[in-house]
Amino acid sequence: MKNPPSIPVVLFTVADAMARNALPLPAKVEASDEFGLELAFPRHVELRRWARFMRLPIKQWHSHTYQRDDVPKVLTNVSGDWRDIRVRLHCCEPTTDTPAEFLPAVAA
């Protein structure tokens, strides 16, 4: 079994991917040996660009409704492996701003 890359290598790889591919800046980036790489996005269109860039299968995209501050939202999680790194992408956006493909009835 191959050892996963170190945290500095993971973070450099993310920065390099953003620079070379004009990918949107995540709102939050976390990396750990235990959990891998986690990227949070404010909008689903940004999550979609990263998920497609990382070639994460659509079947691994999970969306559900979420109520916060009396505003209905859609929470989406995408997980998989990218360059031998376990990754999780997520976004929580108001339902009215969420593209149809991420609405739970469509994403299910």
Side-chain angles (χ1 to χ4, degrees):
M1 184 172 157
K2 197 172 175 185
N3 287 335
S6 68
I7 291 174
V9 169
V10 169
L11 296 175
F12 175 81
T13 303
V14 169
D16 183 60
M18 284 189 310
R20 291 178 186 261
N21 300 285
L23 293 169
L25 181 67
K28 178 177 150 187
V29 177
E30 289 187 19
S32 72
D33 291 330
E34 186 177 355
F35 298 109
L37 176 67
E38 181 177 330
L39 303 176
F41 298 94
R43 298 177 24 211
H44 281 85
V45 293
E46 296 163 345
L47 178 142
R48 180 194 310 129
R49 286 200 48 213
W50 273 94
R52 287 182 176 163
F53 171 77
M54 292 177 162
R55 294 185 174 106
L56 300 176
I58 291 175
K59 65 183 178 185
Q60 293 177 348
W61 299 20
H62 304 284
S63 296
H64 63 274
T65 56
Y66 177 73
Q67 188 80 16
R68 184 172 188 176
D69 302 326
D70 295 326
V71 176
K73 296 186 177 195
V74 175
L75 174 64
T76 300
N77 291 291
V78 180
S79 60
D81 292 307
W82 174 63
R83 298 185 181 181
D84 297 323
I85 304 165
R86 184 176 39 200
V87 297
R88 177 178 171 257
L89 314 179
H90 60 94
C91 175
C92 188
E93 182 176 31
T95 303
T96 55
D97 299 334
T98 302
E101 71 187 271
F102 290 100
L103 296 176
V106 175

